[in-house]
Amino acid sequence: DGGITQSPKYLFRKEGQNVTLSCEQNLNHDAMYWYRQDPGQGLRLIYYSQIVNDFQKGDIAEGYSVSREKKESFPLTVTSAQKNPTAFYLCASSTEDRVRDYGYTFGSGTRLTVV
Amino acid sequence: AQKITQTQPGMFVQEKEAVTLDCTYDTSDQSYGLFWYKQPSSGEMIFLIYQGSYDEQNATEGRYSLNFQKARKSANLVISASQLGDSAMYFCAMTINFGNEKLTFGTGTRLTIIP
């Protein structure tokens, strides 16, 4: 079955470290997205990519970086410049002709904690 | 820019009753899509239902229906015959055009079903 795989499920980061969250999809979707969710809050867009080798900043891009070298992969790096990175991170993907029936597909998320 | 407003932070509903979750949106675009997602305590995002801005009929999917009132910019979710398993966070979201654009979320409503 196709889907989105996020790894790891839990990640602990020391102060000043960069960490990379993995997101892989085998749905052949063109667009991919990264969202951050804080406890009891909605989802806020970090970065998104509509096509390989191109991506756009979302509402809270500061302290994060991404790459989209392959259609299947959209890794997110949380840099030391992100002052409050503890949150739940969700990756999603979409393809225009399947949005009506399947919406945007989400991964199961990565919980990042600063220690 | 798009904006989604969910004014009910939490709701308690008796099992087997119907429940309406409110959602209003704001956009200057004529072409847009509206979504509802369910997020149980596990954190996964489950797609429930979709409504396109040009759809003349309200979307329905099993026990879920979307009460779309375009002039009022309202897209309320109705869950009929609520079940204990419906207890979760519910998010309203929208995108301009009909896919492969960023999805903007509301702050969510926490629904608790009482036995």
Side-chain angles (χ1 to χ4, degrees):
Chain A
D1 283 341
I4 295 182
T5 301
Q6 287 189 243
S7 62
K9 191 175 178 69
Y10 298 95
L11 186 58
F12 297 90
R13 191 194 94 167
K14 292 183 179 179
E15 295 276 357
Q17 265 186 345
N18 291 355
V19 291
T20 297
L21 283 59
S22 171
C23 177
E24 303 277 334
Q25 55 103 353
N26 61 0
L27 299 163
N28 198 34
H29 284 180
D30 295 312
M32 298 186 73
Y33 314 82
W34 274 106
Y35 288 90
R36 169 180 172 144
Q37 186 178 28
D38 293 286
Q41 303 293 315
L43 280 68
R44 293 184 290 168
L45 182 67
I46 304 172
Y47 270 99
Y48 67 108
S49 169
Q50 296 170 306
I51 196 168
V52 174
N53 291 323
D54 189 41
F55 48 83
Q56 289 81 39
K57 292 182 179 180
D59 301 317
I60 55 166
E62 185 175 352
Y64 300 96
S65 66
V66 293
S67 63
R68 186 90 186 275
E69 297 176 1
K70 298 186 300 182
K71 188 175 187 178
E72 303 79 17
S73 180
F74 192 41
L76 174 73
T77 296
V78 185
T79 74
S80 57
Q82 171 50 239
K83 297 306 178 190
N84 185 21
T86 295
F88 186 50
Y89 290 86
L90 284 158
C91 180
S93 70
S94 69
T95 189
E96 196 167 342
D97 58 353
R98 296 176 73 81
V99 159
R100 176 176 294 276
D101 294 324
Y102 299 101
Y104 285 46
T105 304
F106 282 80
S108 56
T110 293
R111 292 191 186 275
L112 174 62
T113 303
V114 173
V115 296
Chain B
Q2 306 85 44
K3 185 176 181 181
I4 295 281
T5 302
Q6 295 181 255
T7 57
Q8 305 154 309
M11 289 187 69
F12 291 85
V13 172
Q14 205 76 34
E15 189 180 7
K16 299 181 184 177
E17 287 186 352
V19 56
T20 298
L21 305 181
D22 294 340
C23 172
T24 57
Y25 61 92
D26 189 25
T27 182
S28 56
D29 292 281
Q30 298 302 307
S31 301
Y32 52 86
L34 296 157
F35 303 75
W36 277 92
Y37 279 85
K38 172 184 178 181
Q39 187 181 43
S41 56
S42 59
E44 61 186 311
M45 296 291 285
I46 302 170
F47 167 69
L48 297 178
I49 199 166
Y50 169 87
Q51 181 88 37
S53 58
Y54 297 119
D55 294 344
E56 295 184 350
Q57 294 195 342
N58 289 341
T60 61
E61 189 66 49
R63 293 187 300 114
Y64 304 107
S65 61
L66 198 153
N67 185 0
F68 181 45
Q69 297 188 39
K70 196 169 181 177
R72 297 180 60 185
K73 294 189 174 179
S74 167
N76 297 342
L77 178 70
V78 180
I79 306 174
S80 63
S82 57
Q83 302 171 356
L84 296 178
D86 293 334
S87 294
M89 282 289 286
Y90 287 81
F91 291 99
C92 181
M94 76 174 298
T95 181
I96 61 170
N97 299 320
F98 302 112
N100 289 7
E101 296 286 348
K102 58 182 180 178
L103 199 54
T104 299
F105 285 84
T107 52
T109 296
R110 181 170 296 281
L111 177 64
T112 303
I113 307 300
I114 305 167

